[in-house]
Amino acid sequence: MPNIVILGAQWGDEGKGKVIDIFAPKADYIVRYQGGNNAGHTVVIGEDEFILHLIPSGILHKAKVCVIGNGVVIDPKAFLDEIDMLKRKGIEVAGRLYLSDEAHVIFPYHKKLDELKEAKKKKIGTTKKGIGPCYADKVARSGIRIADLLDEAVFKDKLRGNLDEKNVVFNRIYNIEGYSFDALYEEYSSYGKKIRKFVCNTVLLLNDAIKKKKSILFEGAQGTLLDVDHGTYPFVTSSNATAGGASIGTGVGPTRIDKVIGIAKAYTTRVGEGPFPTEFGEDLMGRIRKKGREFGATTGRPRRCGWFDNIVVKHSVMVNGIDEIVVTKLDVLDDLDSIKICTAYKFEGRVYRDFPSNIRVLEGCVPIYEELPGWKEDTTRVTSYKRLPKNAKNYLKRIQELLKTKIVLISVGSDRRQTFAK
Ligand code: GDP
Ligand code: IMO
Ligand code: MG
């Protein structure tokens, strides 16, 4: 199999966990390249449900090597807890899980800063996992990397430097106590000892694998519209969730990546604040949220739901160079009389057919819809495209036509088996 990036084409939770799990048997390596434990990727295998936050979803396939790349931010406690969770469920990670020595470490002060910022009126609706403040330190060049954590002298020096600055902010701006060097040093040194065996130069590991003709699956986290550059800024996460992030976040050059697959739900969801032009009104919101079980896999928050937005997914196809599309959760639309697709936005008399950068346009625009008849049939037991109801096929055909991109796979339930090719 070639080297493939699989990523979310909307605002996250498109079903990346499920799709990665389906592609994993054909790959040798499965790699996370950005984000952190703000992600929640669900894989359902029979009666068992696994939610992975930091470890690639390919870990459930026992022979596969999983890598957490340099672009990911690591909460070491969350990392160790996830390994324990997998162990309890009979999944052994030893010898096939690697963590980049260049990945940045999330500290309690990052989480605290995330919480404090979120307590303000103008909030983003983050997962409060410390993701934004950790990436901010990375870009400010004051971050602490895994390699630093494992070197006593470097770690002491960097932690001291960070606390000297952060504690002033906590004391003077937020009027709260700061963090004790000794306690943090002790806690994180102990994590360092436990994670050391997973740590290596993953850039070398992956490029060596490519030389040996191994295939790599790059597992995106979040979604394109949450990308810090290409999303609904500032209502985004703090990393590059787009395909370019796969290269930056792993040290695998773009010429070594063969294909990009985008995942889109048959409708749209988002968690947290920020513009959402096709968001449902109360009645449909309740129905779709219930049927699609749209509650966050990381925070449990109810997800906001809306119609399929072609402006959004078309933007994703472009900025990611998406070759093929996977449509998930088609079954969630089974009961609807008619289904809408947004094809343009109207704002102050102007029609927008491409994704606007101005947040005021996104917040105030009126979506222009096409309406297609629903199929009113249960699709959860359908096992081939041929057997889908005619109106479901028409809906997918219309999406494919609007996106000018091939739909290759359709998902009609959370189980591995509820998936078929188009
Ligand atoms: P991810 O973050 O992109 O991996 O997605 P999440 O795991 O956060 O959310 C997707 C949810 O939808 C999970 O609960 C999946 O088990 C579920 N799911 C995935 N595909 C389908 C589908 O085709 N139909 C239904 N009904 N549920 C699905
Ligand atoms: P997966 O990988 C959906 C959202 C948060 C918030 C914004 C910023 O499961 O699709 P952050 O904590 O990252 O600073 O929050 O991004 N967000 C997600 N929404 N799925 C995710 O991950 C998300 N990860 C972050 O809700 O709006
Ligand atoms: Mg998720």
Side-chain angles (χ1 to χ4, degrees):
M1 194 175 79
N3 300 324
I4 305 179
V5 180
I6 297 188
L7 49 72
Q10 293 155 324
W11 275 285
D13 305 325
E14 296 89 349
K16 296 176 292 291
K18 171 175 170 166
V19 177
I20 289 283
D21 175 65
I22 286 166
F23 277 79
K26 290 194 207 124
D28 300 297
Y29 290 71
I30 300 95
V31 189
R32 274 281 305 270
Y33 57 85
Q34 45 69 234
N37 61 323
N38 49 348
H41 296 180
T42 314
V43 182
V44 176
I45 308 170
E47 297 295 296
D48 260 338
E49 182 182 82
F50 295 83
I51 298 178
L52 295 142
H53 300 288
L54 206 43
I55 297 175
S57 305
I59 201 74
L60 305 179
H61 294 264
K62 293 190 172 146
K64 304 298 168 187
V65 180
C66 287
V67 177
I68 300 177
N70 55 277
V72 177
V73 285
I74 310 293
D75 179 330
K77 185 173 181 311
F79 175 72
L80 292 164
D81 286 350
E82 202 159 311
I83 291 172
D84 284 345
M85 176 278 285
L86 288 167
K87 254 191 199 149
R88 282 197 303 276
K89 295 197 167 199
I91 311 278
E92 192 44 71
V93 302
R96 61 187 190 98
L97 175 64
Y98 297 95
L99 171 59
S100 168
D101 54 1
E102 292 179 324
H104 280 249
V105 181
I106 299 176
F107 285 86
Y109 51 77
H110 292 130
K111 283 195 263 187
K112 193 73 193 172
L113 281 169
D114 201 351
E115 268 170 40
L116 290 165
K117 283 194 161 197
E118 283 294 296
K120 290 186 180 162
K121 216 167 138 205
K122 273 195 170 175
K123 61 178 184 174
I124 303 289
T126 75
T127 58
K128 299 185 188 160
K129 301 287 182 192
I131 308 293
C134 183
Y135 277 118
D137 277 358
K138 171 178 175 173
V139 178
R141 293 160 296 184
S142 53
I144 298 178
R145 309 206 287 187
I146 296 283
D148 305 328
L149 180 69
L150 300 185
D151 182 309
E152 201 182 305
V154 176
F155 182 38
K156 274 188 177 158
D157 182 49
K158 289 206 169 189
L159 184 62
R160 232 177 226 123
N162 268 284
L163 286 182
D164 283 349
E165 276 186 14
K166 300 281 192 290
N167 282 344
V168 174
V169 173
F170 287 125
N171 300 157
R172 303 234 179 114
I173 296 183
Y174 293 106
N175 285 318
I176 57 169
E177 230 183 280
Y179 288 82
S180 131
F181 171 84
D182 289 339
L184 261 192
Y185 179 77
E186 201 178 309
E187 182 186 348
Y188 272 67
S189 297
S190 108
Y191 296 145
K193 286 194 188 99
K194 289 181 188 150
I195 66 175
R196 189 181 283 276
K197 60 174 176 285
F198 300 104
V199 178
C200 74
N201 180 335
T202 54
V203 177
L204 279 180
L205 179 80
L206 292 171
N207 283 285
D208 275 352
I210 290 172
K211 273 190 211 138
K212 289 177 189 145
K213 304 272 184 246
K214 302 284 184 198
S215 70
I216 300 174
L217 209 51
F218 297 88
E219 175 175 350
Q222 289 78 56
T224 301
L225 277 292
L226 289 171
D227 180 283
V228 68
D229 283 271
H230 299 291
T232 43
Y233 190 89
F235 299 98
V236 292
T237 191
S238 303
S239 66
N240 286 112
T242 42
S247 213
I248 293 166
T250 60
V252 171
T255 53
R256 302 290 179 265
I257 297 175
D258 306 297
K259 195 194 257 190
V260 179
I261 298 180
I263 311 175
K265 276 183 195 177
Y267 49 103
T268 313
T269 63
R270 92 170 285 176
V271 200
E273 308 299 313
F276 186 174
T278 65
E279 188 165 12
F280 291 140
E282 208 176 310
D283 175 45
L284 262 178
M285 179 80 80
R287 280 173 67 189
I288 296 295
R289 182 180 286 152
K290 187 160 175 245
K291 189 157 169 74
R293 299 210 280 142
E294 295 294 1
F295 294 89
T298 296
T299 58
R301 290 178 292 174
R303 292 176 184 150
R304 299 158 66 193
C305 308
W307 295 116
F308 186 88
D309 187 338
N310 188 61
I311 301 280
V312 157
V313 184
K314 197 173 73 166
H315 173 69
S316 278
V317 167
M318 179 171 69
V319 297
N320 292 301
I322 289 176
D323 298 298
E324 295 172 351
I325 296 271
V326 177
V327 175
T328 59
K329 305 195 95 160
L330 185 69
D331 56 297
V332 178
L333 304 181
D334 282 353
D335 305 331
L336 301 180
D337 293 324
S338 72
I339 301 172
K340 290 181 183 175
I341 300 176
C342 169
T343 54
Y345 302 146
K346 198 164 182 189
F347 181 73
E348 292 181 347
R350 189 177 148 192
V351 175
Y352 292 79
R353 298 197 185 277
D354 292 301
F355 183 73
S357 312
N358 186 341
I359 198 86
R360 205 166 64 82
V361 176
L362 279 164
E363 275 166 350
C365 70
V366 177
I368 300 174
Y369 290 113
E370 276 184 21
E371 198 157 349
L372 282 79
W375 44 92
K376 311 272 280 177
E377 268 180 61
D378 179 12
T379 58
T380 57
R381 286 189 186 82
V382 173
T383 51
S384 70
Y385 179 73
K386 214 171 55 205
R387 294 190 188 280
L388 271 179
K390 186 168 138 270
N391 286 348
K393 281 188 200 155
N394 285 342
Y395 181 63
L396 293 169
K397 272 188 208 151
R398 185 62 187 139
I399 288 176
Q400 180 168 280
E401 197 173 77
L402 286 167
L403 293 175
K404 297 185 179 70
T405 309
K406 204 167 163 8
I407 296 172
V408 291
L409 209 64
I410 295 147
S411 170
V412 289
S414 53
D415 195 85
R416 275 176 180 171
R417 288 161 296 188
Q418 291 171 300
T419 325
F420 47 86
K422 179 161 180 291

